[in-house]
């Protein structure tokens, strides 16, 4: 079986020139291919998808960069092989998945070749790197804004080390993890005792000092402390906070920052670097007005200080229209009020809020399309309005003769069944009996015509 899967994998590799993207088929459903056929990174796409088309140049660059290292870069057309997408639970396009050592890793970052290459490097490299000396430490500091280091002594077993290695393997895509036994490196990092687990970010050091050394506690700490103190986020960076346990303090600012925005950014950074609020909040600045607007379901202007809780979907906006004269103390008082619960949060996850979110996002989508293709929106709106007008017109108007005939037939059917609009039933006297006897000799058309005449007279 293993030999067969290797032959299948080799047939894919031989079919492509080195550094080129491999076009896959339905054989990707065969788990033997990616469990024993090396490392594969695959883009699931459709030819008509505009986002897939924009990603093609980046995907070609990824293939040229990583193919020499033995990673197969491939793509598969889901319009030809939809069953493959269903097998791998592909929900949108383009979707990137990496198959390595029998595991499947989902990529959810930027559609840029540098970010994708870094994703591949994290998957294929050991989950924990080793810092052997001071030059290696300098290289790590240069390449990582935030990184974790486990300091320990050679030859001595440690539960902390075992659990750290396991947690790092699980979180390898979400952080940078290292260990060291070098005494010069430990001295440089300010390690007081070993074993010791520390995080280094923005020139500051934080040591794991909890008495709870359980696997879950270590994983939670690593996941919580993997962010910079006050980064400037793009849209992907904002959504990286989705599974966090603390509210995020966002300062919304324009790309061309004004002096007022710079002053507010200084206030937020100073608070973030002061550690007083770091156990309760994350801090960040961003220029992604559209993303924040979709989170809040309301329009905001720059600058705007927003506290957003991804868990409950509640948010707090600093109560100021101009932000002129706002001081660092004012911002701290605002955060203290949120911590104490003095200020109720807006938003939430109630049924009415979810329904409003659906309507609001529909409206935002229409406006976004209108800004790029106004004629398309106007044409669709005109067709919709004409359809509604036509339906209302047909309901309000009709052929009077046909309606009278239809009512006459209903009248006659009720009479023959023993019931008249007046409410008389068979067996009761209904007036002129001779007229009834005369009606019995008439055919249905004559009866309908007569009933129609009666209806018009009435």
């Amino acid at each position: 079986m293993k030999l067969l899967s290797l032959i299948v994998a080799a047939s894919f590799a031989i079919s492509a020139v080195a550094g080129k993207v491999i076009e896959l088929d339905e054989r990707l459903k065969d788990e033997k291919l990616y469990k024993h056929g090396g490392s594969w990174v695959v883009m699931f796409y459709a030819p008509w998808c505009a986002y897939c088309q924009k990603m093609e140049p980046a995907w070609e660059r990824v293939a040229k960069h990583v193919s020499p290292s033995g990673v197969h870069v491939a793509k598969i057309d889901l319009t030809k092989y939809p069953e493959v997408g269903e097998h791998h639970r592909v929900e949108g396009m383009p979707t990137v998945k990496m198959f390595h050592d029998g595991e499947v890793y989902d990529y959810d970052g930027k559609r840029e070749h540098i970010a994708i290459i870094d994703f591949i490097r994290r998957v294929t490299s050991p989950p924990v790197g080793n810092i052997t000396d001071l030059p290696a430490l300098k290289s790590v500091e240069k390449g990582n804004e935030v990184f974790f280091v486990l300091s320990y002594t050679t030859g001595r077993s440690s539960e902390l080390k075992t659990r750290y290695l396991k947690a790092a393997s699980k979180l390898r895509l979400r952080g940078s993890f290292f260990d060291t036994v070098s005494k010069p490196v430990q001295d440089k990092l300010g390690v007081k005792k070993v074993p010791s687990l520390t995080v280094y970010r923005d020139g500051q050091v934080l040591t794991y000092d909890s008495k709870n050394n359980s696997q879950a506690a270590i994983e939670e700490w690593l996941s919580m402390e993997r962010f910079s103190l006050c980064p400037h986020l793009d849209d992907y960076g904002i959504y990286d906070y989705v599974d966090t346990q603390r509210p995020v303090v966002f300062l919304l600012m324009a790309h061309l920052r004004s002096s007022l925005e710079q002053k507010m950014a200084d206030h937020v950074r100073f608070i973030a670097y002061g550690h007083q609020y770091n156990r309760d909040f994350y801090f960040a600045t961003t220029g992604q007005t559209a993303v924040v607007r979709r989170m809040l379901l309301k329009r905001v202007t720059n600058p705007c200080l927003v506290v957003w809780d991804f868990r409950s979907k509640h948010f707090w906006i600093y109560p100021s229209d101009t932000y002129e004269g706002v001081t660092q103390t004012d911002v701290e008082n605002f955060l203290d009020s949120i911590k104490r619960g003095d200020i109720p949060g807006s938003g939430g996850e109630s049924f009415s809020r979810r329904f409003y979110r659906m309507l609001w996002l529909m409206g935002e989508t229409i406006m976004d399309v209108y800004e790029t293709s106004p004629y398309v929106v106007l044409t669709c709106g005109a067709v919709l309005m004409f359809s509604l007008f036509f339906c209302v017109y047909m309901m309000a108007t009709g052929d009077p003769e046909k309606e009278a005939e239809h009512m006459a037939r209903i009248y006659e059917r009720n009479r023959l069944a023993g019931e008249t609009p007046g409410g008389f039933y068979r067996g009761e006297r209904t007036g002129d009996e001779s007229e009834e006897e005369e009606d019995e000799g008439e055919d249905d058309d004559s009866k309908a015509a007569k009933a129609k005449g009666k209806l018009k007279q009435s």
Side-chain angles (χ1 to χ4, degrees), residues 24-260:
L24 297 181
D25 55 30
E26 71 277 1
R27 284 175 289 180
L28 187 59
K29 291 193 301 182
D30 186 1
E31 295 184 359
K32 302 184 187 69
L33 171 64
Y34 53 83
K35 283 189 175 181
H36 305 290
S39 298
W40 291 80
V41 57
V42 182
M43 178 176 71
F44 298 81
Y45 77 101
W48 50 262
C49 173
Y51 295 106
C52 301
Q53 296 169 7
K54 291 180 180 179
M55 191 172 172
E56 281 289 342
W59 202 241
E60 296 287 346
R61 297 183 70 175
V62 170
K64 292 180 181 179
H65 191 278
V66 304
S67 293
S69 63
V71 177
H72 306 296
V73 180
K75 63 181 181 180
I76 183 167
D77 185 352
L78 294 187
T79 61
K80 294 181 180 179
Y81 311 106
E83 68 279 3
V84 177
E86 295 176 1
H87 178 79
H88 291 289
R89 299 179 181 179
V90 175
E91 298 180 352
M93 292 177 287
T95 291
V96 174
K97 292 178 178 285
M98 185 160 187
F99 307 92
H100 177 72
D101 287 345
E103 300 290 338
V104 182
Y105 299 89
D106 294 316
Y107 177 71
D108 57 1
K110 297 180 182 179
R111 300 188 182 108
E112 300 175 357
H113 72 282
I114 296 178
I116 299 172
I117 291 171
D118 181 67
F119 163 75
I120 296 172
R121 177 188 62 79
R122 288 179 179 273
V123 172
T124 56
S125 301
V128 178
N130 182 249
I131 304 176
T132 56
D133 50 29
L134 292 178
L137 174 61
K138 187 174 182 180
S139 177
V140 169
E141 292 175 336
K142 184 178 180 180
N144 300 275
E145 293 183 356
V146 181
F147 61 96
F148 298 90
V149 179
L150 174 70
S151 301
Y152 65 99
T153 304
T154 305
R156 299 185 63 177
S157 61
S158 168
E159 290 185 356
L160 179 62
K161 177 184 176 182
T162 303
R163 291 167 180 168
Y164 171 74
L165 294 177
K166 185 177 180 180
S169 180
K170 183 178 180 179
L171 302 173
R172 64 197 306 168
L173 300 181
R174 304 169 67 184
S176 300
F177 305 96
F178 300 89
D179 61 11
T180 184
V181 295
S182 169
K183 191 65 168 61
V185 172
Q186 294 175 0
D187 292 339
K188 179 70 174 179
L189 294 175
V191 175
K192 304 297 183 183
K193 63 177 182 178
V194 292
S196 177
L197 178 57
T198 49
V199 58
Y200 300 85
R201 57 188 175 191
D202 304 314
Q204 299 188 11
V205 181
L206 179 64
T207 302
Y208 180 73
D209 57 359
S210 174
K211 295 181 180 180
N212 184 2
N213 285 336
S214 66
Q215 186 68 46
I218 294 174
E219 289 180 7
E220 181 181 3
W221 187 80
L222 294 174
S223 181
M224 295 281 285
E225 303 299 338
R226 59 191 173 92
F227 301 100
S228 297
L229 294 177
C230 190
H232 187 73
L233 303 177
D234 57 14
D235 50 352
Y236 289 97
I238 291 176
Y239 290 117
D240 198 27
Y241 288 80
V242 166
D243 58 351
T244 56
Q245 303 297 315
R246 306 172 189 164
V248 186
V249 180
F250 290 111
L251 176 64
L252 187 61
M253 37 194 320
H255 293 289
L256 299 176
R257 303 171 188 175
S258 64
S259 58
L260 178 60

Side-chain angles (χ1 to χ4, degrees), residues 177-381:
F177 305 96
F178 300 89
D179 61 11
T180 184
V181 295
S182 169
K183 191 65 168 61
V185 172
Q186 294 175 0
D187 292 339
K188 179 70 174 179
L189 294 175
V191 175
K192 304 297 183 183
K193 63 177 182 178
V194 292
S196 177
L197 178 57
T198 49
V199 58
Y200 300 85
R201 57 188 175 191
D202 304 314
Q204 299 188 11
V205 181
L206 179 64
T207 302
Y208 180 73
D209 57 359
S210 174
K211 295 181 180 180
N212 184 2
N213 285 336
S214 66
Q215 186 68 46
I218 294 174
E219 289 180 7
E220 181 181 3
W221 187 80
L222 294 174
S223 181
M224 295 281 285
E225 303 299 338
R226 59 191 173 92
F227 301 100
S228 297
L229 294 177
C230 190
H232 187 73
L233 303 177
D234 57 14
D235 50 352
Y236 289 97
I238 291 176
Y239 290 117
D240 198 27
Y241 288 80
V242 166
D243 58 351
T244 56
Q245 303 297 315
R246 306 172 189 164
V248 186
V249 180
F250 290 111
L251 176 64
L252 187 61
M253 37 194 320
H255 293 289
L256 299 176
R257 303 171 188 175
S258 64
S259 58
L260 178 60
E261 291 173 337
Q262 290 286 7
K263 184 182 72 173
M264 288 299 301
D266 291 339
H267 293 336
V268 173
R269 291 193 187 98
F270 195 92
I271 296 172
Y273 280 75
H275 295 296
Q276 181 181 353
Y277 296 90
N278 285 350
R279 292 185 179 274
D280 302 294
F281 301 98
Y282 292 109
F283 296 87
T285 61
T286 183
Q288 301 297 320
T289 307
V291 175
V292 176
R293 192 170 63 220
R294 282 179 168 84
M295 290 162 53
L296 306 180
L297 304 184
K298 64 182 302 181
R299 295 185 177 274
V300 292
T301 57
N302 301 329
C304 183
L305 187 66
V306 178
V307 180
W308 174 265
D309 191 336
F310 280 98
R311 296 167 298 176
S312 63
K313 301 293 191 300
H314 284 103
F315 65 89
W316 298 260
I317 299 179
Y318 185 82
S320 177
D321 295 331
T322 63
Y323 287 84
E324 291 286 353
V326 175
T327 64
Q328 178 183 324
T329 302
D330 295 331
V331 177
E332 291 176 347
N333 291 336
F334 173 62
L335 298 180
D336 288 333
S337 299
I338 295 175
K339 287 172 56 179
R340 292 192 303 265
D342 296 342
I343 306 177
S346 303
E349 278 289 87
S350 63
F351 174 79
S352 59
R353 183 67 178 177
R354 291 197 299 268
F355 183 72
Y356 176 72
R357 179 180 292 113
M358 180 187 69
L359 297 179
W360 200 91
L361 292 177
M362 287 176 58
E364 281 290 294
T365 302
I366 294 174
M367 291 302 299
D368 290 342
V369 175
Y370 178 79
E371 291 177 358
T372 56
S373 304
Y375 293 108
V376 173
V377 176
L378 293 176
T379 302
C380 293

